[in-house]
Amino acid sequence: MAIYDITRQSTGGHSFGERLAELVNRFLTWKDDRATRKALSMLSDHELDDIGLVRGDIDRLTRR
């Protein structure tokens, strides 16, 4: 038999809705970063140079 303590506050005092919103925001940020990495990776070195980047900058730009 399991016993649940419903009087305890959630982690950090945040409500479920706030934690869910943060999780969704993290996912959307990751998704945007992934799309940016993919788009930049498909550019040639010359095209990257035109926008002031080198191939090594791609991961650094999308890492948070």
Side-chain angles (χ1 to χ4, degrees):
M1 179 172 156
I3 298 174
Y4 297 99
D5 182 6
I6 60 172
T7 61
R8 197 169 31 160
Q9 281 191 329
S10 61
T11 306
H14 299 292
S15 70
F16 174 76
E18 290 170 327
R19 288 184 288 149
L20 180 60
E22 181 181 342
L23 181 63
V24 169
N25 186 40
R26 282 183 176 186
F27 171 74
L28 293 175
T29 300
W30 169 82
K31 186 179 171 188
D32 288 344
D33 289 349
R34 183 173 179 253
T36 300
R37 266 193 312 275
K38 184 177 180 179
L40 289 173
S41 294
M42 293 183 351
L43 296 177
S44 69
D45 289 341
H46 180 72
E47 291 168 322
L48 287 171
D49 187 48
D50 284 347
I51 59 174
L53 298 174
V54 295
R55 196 148 306 278
D57 292 335
I58 295 172
D59 284 337
R60 184 181 52 81
L61 288 172
T62 57
R63 215 177 297 145
R64 296 180 192 236

